[in-house]
Amino acid sequence: MGEVSDQVPLLLKKEDEFDHLNKTPLWVSLTKLILKVIMWVIFIAWATFIFFSPTKFTNQLQGKIIRATRGTIFGTSGSIFLIFSFPIFVIAFLAIIRLALSDEDEPQVKRTPKGPNFRLWTFPVLVDGPFGVVTAAEMIGVILFSVYIVWAIIMYTIQDVDLLSLFHVHSMKEKSAVFLELTGLRFGFIGLICLAFLFLPVARGSVLLRAIDIPFEHATRYHVWLGHLTMALFTLHGLFFVIGWAMQGRLVEELIDWKNIGVANLPGVISLAAGLLMWVTSLPGVRRKNFELFFYTHQLYVVFVVFLALHVGDFIFMIAGAGIFLFMLDRFLRFFQSRKTVDILSATCFPCGTVELVISKPANLHYNALGWIFLQIRQLSWLQWHPFSVSSSPFDGKHHVAILIKVLGDWTEKLKGNILNRSLEQSENDPLLQHKRKITASVEGPYGHESPYHLTYENLILVAGGIGISPFLAILSDILHRINDRKPCLPRNILIVWAIKNSGELPLLDTVDMEAICPLFSDKLNLEIQTFVTRESQPSLEEGKTPKAMHTTISPGFKGCRMSSLVGTGNVVWSGLYVMVSTIGLVITVALLDIFYIIPFNVNYWWYKGLLLIGCMAASILIFGGLVIALWHLWERKTSSKEEPGEDASKKVDILRQNEQKNFGESRLVNNIRYGQRPDFQEIFGSHAKSWGSVDIGVIVCGPPTLQSSVAKECRRQNLQRGHQAIFHFNSHSFDL
């Protein structure tokens, strides 16, 4: 749009007019700071204890703690719980309180006077390789984990060599067999430590992820990394034992052994077999070629966890108990949310092969423009769930959320055909077909960043590939609404770089009516759009005409069945109560079991106590958590009955109808379209860094891994050179399993 204006953003000209929106009471800010410090102190102390667990000092300290606490009704398992699991639950409880204090806060968007600065979370270090794009903060985490693994293996090996003298073995073969068994035992313990972290990233609504503002789609890659590491360690654990037993000539005997007192081998074999099957089918080559095989075999995690508990017993299982329990809590809550059938208020098929769905939701279910939802349409499949980023802003309406879906595979082809068929039925205007036209879905979510970080950058570069434009439409709508409503919002310069295969996708930009949201927005926001049509060398003859989109909508009097707000990212108070009450219920359930069954009847079988512990986890979630869910559901029904849905949803439908009447050439949006070219990120980033000067530039990319790598590589190159003093902050908004 030419030279960038030097004018101060509208929302920063008269800061006093809305400054009260950014002000948080002093006691709230202080309490949140204290809670944050306590959480970090507990986590660092817990992680330090684990890191130094191979040392003699830590082993002695652990022994003292166990001897001091095992006299309670919980016994040794209670002591292990206190050391390894209790700190995680304390952090989760403190996180709930902190999130509750932050629930009504407006995002903090004040300009930093210090100028541009590097941030570990947004500085890409590795951009090519098996890990994908890795930021500096992630690299630190990878290094620390790697150092722990190497350090633990070395320390335990030294200890095992010393322990050999305690075994009455004489031949080298016998010594080698014993050493292999000891080494296998150490690999098993290190694997349990990794397992303590493994389930935390895949608890989609986890308070721990929300507390550190890591969205589920980012945390999934940490689960992948930890999964490979954990299974590698468990495989070595089993392999070393198998080799040791084979050297002693008792392999089959040991494999089928099921001890009552001590570790039961056969459950371990079953658990490891389930884990290996999950691991093999999750490898990139297998997963990409047959995703359904990966998805269905991954449900074997139930077998893996249950038989692991039977293998090691209750007190050893407690090492990883906290993470597994928090995952079970999240899975149970997601089950309840996904059981509700939700009405799709509007379904639109664009000529470019993209579908837009407008889904009914309650007003008290909040999300931000960087959100995700998981969608299942039972008319198409009872088993398949698919993640989609939202394409609407929370300010577009309280009672709906919109998503854009690119037609690529069988499921999306069926969805498009379903919509087109219903659209033809709708054109017949037969009232008897009204119910038949209705499309329903099951929804999980919304998930995503706890805070809308796109509002914290004065300068934004949004890079999209194809349907990756979807979240940027939501961001654009969000910013325009905030400018128009004079809400806190920092962005003043926005560049959208959009790479598409053909010009048929261009009308997707018109799904956001920018002039309707914020009249004369170009006077208040410097917006530039560069579109690269890679597979067309010149404009088509039909470019000035937009083919009519096909849509089906609800009838005017239909209010719609809305999404359930029973989600971990929903109401902070209710979701927090659910976690707290279920955790307290677990302690009560285990205590009652010990008092009335285990102690009176002298139950001491390790595998059986492990099974009872799994049963207590499930029972506490079902009974105590179920009670909270029931009360939460009643509260939701009571509050939703007072709402008047439909008005903003029908407004969204009206906008869609108006947009399909417009020709693409009539849009007032300035879009610099280049045919037969691909984005030159070096030129684009360099020219805008020169224009914008010494500033922080937020870069958000949504697209395939190759696009992410290209953008991350250029961000890294620009930051290392810093010829224009601008710093590019890399952020990825892509869901890639």
Side-chain angles (χ1 to χ4, degrees):
M1 292 184 65
E3 290 297 320
V4 177
S5 172
D6 291 330
Q7 65 181 15
V8 179
L10 174 68
L11 295 179
L12 295 178
K13 285 181 180 178
K14 300 178 181 179
E15 192 169 326
D16 293 340
E17 292 184 10
F18 65 90
D19 191 52
H20 66 283
L21 295 174
N22 253 335
K23 284 187 176 178
T24 304
L26 179 61
W27 72 271
V28 173
S29 299
L30 188 60
T31 304
K32 287 168 59 178
L33 178 61
I34 293 172
L35 289 172
K36 185 176 181 179
V37 170
I38 294 174
M39 288 162 58
W40 275 109
V41 168
I42 293 173
F43 175 76
I44 292 172
W46 177 72
T48 302
F49 181 87
I50 290 176
F51 188 87
F52 288 102
S53 57
T55 63
K56 185 177 180 180
F57 171 78
T58 308
N59 282 327
Q60 291 175 347
L61 179 61
Q62 181 176 326
K64 290 179 181 178
I65 296 174
I66 292 175
R67 287 190 293 273
T69 56
R70 67 183 176 188
T72 65
I73 57 174
F74 299 105
T76 304
S77 61
S79 302
I80 300 298
F81 171 84
L82 190 65
I83 296 171
F84 291 98
S85 293
F86 183 70
I88 298 296
F89 286 120
V90 172
I91 293 172
F93 284 17
L94 295 176
I96 290 167
I97 299 172
R98 191 170 185 274
L99 287 170
L101 292 173
S102 307
D103 195 28
E104 300 299 326
D105 283 1
E106 283 285 344
Q108 300 299 306
V109 298
K110 289 187 177 180
R111 202 185 328 202
T112 55
K114 298 179 181 179
N117 55 81
F118 288 101
R119 301 169 194 172
L120 293 176
W121 278 109
T122 59
F123 184 80
V125 177
L126 297 179
V127 295
D128 295 311
F131 293 108
V133 179
V134 180
T135 64
E138 291 169 337
M139 179 57 70
I140 292 173
V142 169
I143 291 173
L144 288 176
F145 247 100
S146 302
V147 169
Y148 166 71
I149 299 298
V150 174
W151 147 264
I153 291 173
I154 293 173
M155 290 298 297
Y156 284 136
T157 301
I158 294 172
Q159 294 176 23
D160 291 342
V161 171
D162 295 336
L163 285 174
L164 279 177
S165 60
L166 301 178
F167 292 85
H168 300 291
V169 290
H170 304 289
S171 68
M172 181 59 67
K173 183 178 179 180
E174 290 178 330
K175 288 183 178 181
S176 298
V178 171
F179 181 76
L180 285 172
E181 290 185 30
L182 289 173
T183 305
L185 188 67
R186 304 301 191 181
F187 276 121
F189 176 77
I190 300 172
L192 280 174
I193 296 298
C194 294
L195 188 67
F197 293 91
L198 180 64
F199 285 89
L200 295 177
V202 285
R204 296 176 186 172
S206 168
V207 293
L208 297 177
L209 295 181
R210 295 178 67 186
I212 55 180
D213 198 19
I214 295 181
F216 167 69
E217 71 270 14
H218 287 187
T220 303
R221 69 203 304 247
Y222 308 145
H223 171 76
V224 173
W225 298 349
L226 285 167
H228 289 309
L229 177 60
T230 303
M231 283 312 305
L233 290 167
F234 281 155
T235 301
L236 289 172
H237 164 70
L239 183 63
F240 274 59
F241 269 102
V242 165
I243 296 173
W245 292 333
M247 291 175 65
Q248 299 174 59
R250 51 192 180 95
L251 176 59
V252 177
E253 177 188 346
E254 289 289 351
L255 287 176
I256 62 175
D257 182 53
W258 192 312
K259 294 185 180 72
N260 290 324
I261 308 297
V263 173
N265 294 338
L266 183 57
V269 172
I270 297 172
S271 178
L272 181 58
L276 287 172
L277 194 56
M278 287 190 291
W279 190 23
V280 170
T281 55
S282 67
L283 295 174
V286 180
R287 187 179 69 243
R288 293 193 182 99
K289 290 181 179 179
N290 197 332
F291 183 82
E292 288 192 0
L293 177 65
F294 154 75
F295 177 80
Y296 295 137
T297 55
H298 241 61
Q299 307 314 307
L300 289 172
Y301 74 85
V302 178
V303 176
F304 174 78
V305 169
V306 171
F307 279 89
L308 176 65
L310 296 176
H311 173 54
V312 299
D314 58 334
F315 70 93
I316 298 178
F317 185 78
M318 269 300 178
I319 293 174
I324 293 173
F325 184 72
L326 290 175
F327 171 78
M328 292 172 64
L329 282 172
D330 178 77
R331 189 66 192 87
F332 188 64
L333 189 59
R334 287 194 284 121
F335 171 80
F336 271 94
Q337 190 195 27
S338 63
R339 292 309 93 195
K340 185 172 183 179
T341 302
V342 182
D343 287 309
I344 294 176
L345 302 178
S346 171
T348 304
C349 288
F350 293 94
C352 61
T354 298
V355 173
E356 180 177 60
L357 302 181
V358 180
I359 302 170
S360 179
K361 80 168 191 69
N364 58 16
L365 182 58
H366 302 292
Y367 71 99
N368 65 50
L370 293 163
W372 293 83
I373 64 170
F374 281 76
L375 189 71
Q376 177 204 56
I377 299 180
R378 294 176 185 173
Q379 291 100 319
L380 307 180
S381 171
W382 277 79
L383 297 175
Q384 293 189 41
W385 287 85
H386 297 270
F388 300 102
S389 58
V390 302
S391 59
S392 60
S393 161
F395 296 103
D396 287 334
K398 295 181 179 179
H399 299 283
H400 78 270
V401 60
I403 58 174
L404 287 173
I405 302 172
K406 181 70 173 178
V407 178
L408 291 173
D410 293 338
W411 188 87
T412 50
E413 282 287 356
K414 291 179 184 178
L415 174 62
K416 180 181 178 181
N418 191 300
I419 294 169
L420 292 176
N421 291 336
R422 293 169 191 270
S423 181
L424 293 175
E425 293 170 0
Q426 188 171 2
S427 64
E428 298 176 14
N429 201 25
D430 186 349
L432 296 177
L433 295 174
Q434 178 61 45
H435 177 72
K436 188 178 178 182
R437 286 198 302 266
K438 186 171 70 171
I439 305 175
T440 60
S442 297
V443 180
E444 287 185 10
Y447 305 109
H449 277 276
E450 187 67 19
S451 60
Y453 67 85
H454 61 280
L455 300 177
T456 62
Y457 295 104
E458 285 188 63
N459 309 277
L460 279 175
I461 297 179
L462 310 177
V463 183
I467 196 60
I469 195 66
S470 178
F472 300 152
L473 297 176
I475 287 175
L476 202 53
S477 176
D478 191 52
I479 291 172
L480 291 171
H481 274 294
R482 287 179 173 275
I483 290 176
N484 191 61
D485 298 341
R486 304 193 69 82
K487 290 182 177 291
C489 178
L490 203 56
R492 60 175 294 186
N493 303 308
I494 300 178
L495 167 66
I496 298 178
V497 181
W498 188 23
I500 55 178
K501 293 180 180 179
N502 55 71
S503 56
E505 299 180 54
L506 291 171
L508 292 180
L509 288 174
D510 290 331
T511 57
V512 177
D513 193 337
M514 302 183 193
E515 287 289 349
I517 296 173
C518 183
L520 302 176
F521 70 88
S522 57
D523 295 334
K524 308 165 186 176
L525 181 72
N526 300 310
L527 174 63
E528 180 184 357
I529 301 179
Q530 295 184 15
T531 303
F532 296 83
V533 185
T534 59
R535 294 190 179 179
E536 295 179 8
S537 58
Q538 60 185 359
S540 64
L541 296 176
E542 301 294 325
E543 184 182 322
K545 300 178 181 179
T546 303
K548 187 176 181 179
M550 300 292 290
H551 65 86
T552 179
T553 64
I554 59 170
S555 64
F558 184 70
K559 290 188 176 181
C561 184
R562 287 162 285 178
M563 292 167 56
S564 171
S565 60
L566 300 177
V567 59
T569 55
N571 185 281
V572 176
V573 174
W574 280 111
S575 60
L577 279 174
Y578 170 66
V579 174
M580 288 181 170
V581 171
S582 299
T583 305
I584 295 171
L586 173 62
V587 176
I588 294 173
T589 305
V590 172
L592 291 176
L593 187 70
D594 283 332
I595 293 171
F596 294 104
Y597 181 60
I598 291 179
I599 295 176
F601 292 91
N602 193 28
V603 177
N604 55 10
Y605 289 2
W606 283 28
W607 66 267
Y608 186 50
K609 291 177 74 173
L611 182 62
L612 290 175
L613 177 59
I614 291 289
C616 287
M617 286 181 170
S620 63
I621 295 172
L622 184 64
I623 298 170
F624 293 89
L627 176 62
V628 176
I629 289 176
L631 295 174
W632 189 355
H633 179 64
L634 291 174
W635 174 82
E636 179 193 9
R637 290 183 60 182
K638 184 178 180 180
T639 54
S640 62
S641 64
K642 300 176 184 178
E643 298 174 2
E644 290 294 334
E647 183 178 344
D648 57 44
S650 61
K651 188 185 301 181
K652 173 67 177 176
V653 172
D654 290 340
I655 291 173
L656 288 171
R657 286 174 170 169
Q658 292 169 13
N659 284 342
E660 70 179 53
Q661 301 295 328
K662 296 189 304 181
N663 286 333
F664 179 74
E666 294 175 357
S667 175
R668 295 186 59 184
L669 187 65
V670 178
N671 187 359
N672 182 9
I673 306 173
R674 303 178 186 181
Y675 292 87
Q677 300 182 36
R678 296 183 180 276
D680 183 349
F681 293 115
Q682 182 174 345
E683 189 277 328
I684 293 171
F685 284 27
S687 61
H688 283 77
K690 186 175 181 180
S691 298
W692 292 344
S694 182
V695 294
D696 287 305
I697 300 176
V699 179
I700 309 177
V701 59
C702 184
T706 52
L707 180 64
Q708 297 178 53
S709 296
S710 298
V711 174
K713 189 177 296 184
E714 186 57 31
C715 287
R716 184 182 64 180
R717 195 188 71 83
Q718 293 281 348
N719 290 341
L720 293 177
Q721 288 186 352
R722 291 207 64 190
H724 306 292
Q725 300 301 309
I727 294 181
F728 291 84
H729 299 274
F730 176 83
N731 300 273
S732 174
H733 187 75
S734 300
F735 194 100
D736 183 24
L737 281 177

